[in-house]
Amino acid sequence: MTSTALSAEHEELRRTVEAFARDEVAPVIGDYYEREAFPYEIVAKMGRMGLFGLPFPEEHGGMGGDYFALCLALEELARADSSVAITLEAGVSLGAMPIYRFGSDEQRATWLPRLCSGEALGAFGLTEPGGGSDAGATRTTARLEEGRWVVDGTKCFITNSGTDITALVTVTAVTGRKPDGRPEISTILVPSGTPGFTVGQKYSKVGWNASDTRELVFQDCRVPEENLVGERGRGYAQFLRILDEGRVAIAALSVGLAQGCVDESLRYAGEREAFGSAIGGYQAIQFKIADMEARAHTARLAYYEAARRMLAGEPFKKEAAIAKLVASNAAMDNARDATQVFGGYGFMNEYAVGRFYRDAKILEVGEGTSEVQKMLIARELGLPA
């Protein structure tokens, strides 16, 4: 893989997912979206295609691909719908990846085959009601009692946490204090259905209405001591690694939404007539669509480069933050412009651009706000923390 070209394998995957999104997702997702229903049938098809196992080795039930393959799949899915794309992104990069990166051999053997097949989903319990971007201010606690972790606390905005196929959530929790007084944060794996683990009702959201997002409450929730994921006290560092990778994935998803806005606008500009001719013949519309394409293209190059550096084992924190910042801005700007191209029809939920507009804003917030990305870029440039 280079920053500008795809290998034959990556291009074949891209075309396959493009066709799936166009033929299987786009025609039906609007109904799921309006009903705020989770698309189990689509997720099952994605599982059979191997999309949930793309970046994982075959020994764990995966497809033996890489993280860039996941990003390509996310971009193509998001060209049709972001709810489906975020279900895949969260299931892989937040649900399964912490277990693959940091879990024990037993944890990998127990959970990864089901997660890679799409038969089960995992969730990542990080955000808390009073935390937001300040993930270091975790208030959820976990204490050891007679060989079991006792978890107490609340998490919010957790994707894939309450579906019928959700199997587990990994939770960041304070497990003690470091010598300097700072909290010791660890990651605990909590299987669905564990007593003391309560999944809240679905949120009423502006967008991503066909994805599952809920609050999680832990009250005297007890799991075995071996459910610690990775080293005790390394939970914060682990989640930073997961989020660096996740920002590349969210950038890819954002590019997909931005490109989907171009696709829809091109089609509509050729069909819609005003003042006696197709609106695509007017320079005002042409310039707007040209700007949209330029944004999508530039953002794509940014996430390609971040992914290249990640796969090469090079530092990529700055490039991931740049990609996420640029791509989420492109998605929001393109969604606004596409709605303008469509006029009144762009304000109707029956049109894809109406969904795109509702879905775009969260991309500037989730997995690190735009302000956090700018802070990370500044720090990587050597500016004072």
Side-chain angles (χ1 to χ4, degrees):
M1 170 209 155
T2 70
S3 61
T4 58
L6 301 182
S7 68
E9 293 81 4
H10 282 143
E11 176 60 19
E12 181 180 3
L13 169 68
R14 190 201 66 77
R15 288 180 179 272
T16 298
V17 181
E18 178 188 31
F20 172 75
R22 180 186 64 242
D23 300 336
E24 302 286 341
V25 178
V28 301
I29 195 60
D31 178 61
Y32 287 101
Y33 198 95
E34 288 306 302
R35 292 187 290 114
E36 299 186 2
F38 188 78
Y40 289 101
E41 296 83 355
I42 294 174
V43 170
K45 290 178 181 178
M46 290 162 56
R48 291 192 290 270
M49 291 173 65
L51 299 188
F52 286 93
L54 276 174
F56 302 110
E58 294 179 8
E59 65 187 275
H60 296 307
M63 298 294 290
D66 55 30
Y67 206 89
F68 183 61
L70 170 66
C71 290
L72 291 174
L74 291 171
E75 179 183 344
E76 293 303 325
L77 288 172
R79 285 176 70 177
D81 178 72
S82 291
S83 293
V84 171
I86 194 60
T87 297
L88 176 64
E89 193 277 335
V92 175
S93 71
L94 300 180
M97 194 61 72
I99 296 173
Y100 173 64
R101 292 279 187 222
F102 311 113
S104 65
D105 290 341
E106 181 179 355
Q107 288 169 346
R108 295 190 188 101
T110 299
W111 298 106
L112 285 181
R114 292 178 62 204
L115 296 175
C116 287
S117 70
E119 296 174 9
L121 292 174
F124 189 57
L126 171 65
T127 306
E128 298 191 356
S133 296
D134 188 8
T138 299
R139 294 185 178 181
T140 296
T141 62
R143 66 185 187 277
L144 271 176
E145 284 188 3
E146 300 178 350
R148 302 181 75 82
W149 290 107
V150 183
V151 184
D152 290 283
T154 302
K155 301 292 182 176
C156 63
F157 311 142
I158 310 303
T159 304
N160 291 346
S161 58
T163 74
D164 293 344
I165 57 175
T166 299
L168 64 98
V169 58
T170 52
V171 181
T172 53
V174 176
T175 52
R177 291 286 167 180
K178 296 181 178 180
D180 61 5
R182 291 183 301 160
E184 171 195 86
I185 299 176
S186 305
T187 307
I188 312 294
L189 191 156
V190 182
S192 298
T194 301
F197 173 21
T198 304
V199 178
Q201 296 296 312
K202 293 188 298 182
Y203 289 106
S204 176
K205 297 176 293 186
V206 171
W208 284 0
N209 284 354
S211 76
D212 180 82
T213 317
R214 302 176 189 249
E215 181 180 75
L216 307 179
V217 178
F218 303 89
Q219 294 179 306
D220 197 36
C221 178
R222 298 171 181 264
V223 296
E225 183 175 358
E226 56 266 27
N227 280 28
L228 177 72
V229 179
E231 297 178 36
R232 178 169 177 168
R234 293 288 296 169
Y236 190 73
Q238 291 170 10
F239 111 80
L240 290 177
R241 167 67 185 274
I242 292 298
L243 286 188
D244 282 341
E245 296 179 352
R247 285 173 183 132
V248 183
I250 290 295
L253 190 157
S254 300
V255 169
L257 189 153
Q259 192 66 56
C261 289
V262 176
D263 299 339
E264 293 296 317
S265 296
L266 281 172
R267 178 188 59 77
Y268 188 73
E271 298 174 354
R272 176 78 162 92
E273 292 191 359
F275 305 104
S277 63
I279 63 172
Y282 295 112
Q283 197 172 68
I285 299 298
Q286 292 176 354
F287 281 10
K288 196 173 291 292
I289 296 177
D291 282 340
M292 293 162 63
E293 175 68 11
R295 293 185 197 114
H297 178 77
T298 303
R300 181 178 295 109
L301 295 180
Y303 97 71
Y304 274 28
E305 173 61 11
R308 184 198 66 78
R309 293 180 65 90
M310 179 174 67
L311 295 181
E314 301 172 6
F316 70 99
K317 182 183 288 289
K318 181 183 73 175
E319 287 74 18
I322 290 173
K324 204 273 186 180
L325 176 65
V326 170
S328 60
N329 286 343
M332 191 70 222
D333 289 343
N334 279 17
R336 184 186 60 251
D337 282 355
T339 302
Q340 196 72 15
V341 169
F342 272 70
Y345 290 110
F347 203 60
M348 301 296 113
N349 285 326
E350 64 185 283
Y351 288 86
V353 294
R355 297 199 308 273
F356 292 165
Y357 189 80
R358 293 168 65 179
D359 291 338
K361 182 57 191 176
I362 189 60
L363 298 172
E364 296 182 316
V365 177
E367 294 207 34
T369 63
S370 294
E371 291 76 15
V372 166
Q373 307 314 313
K374 293 175 183 179
M375 178 185 70
L376 292 171
I377 295 166
R379 287 180 179 176
E380 289 298 305
L381 290 173
L383 293 168

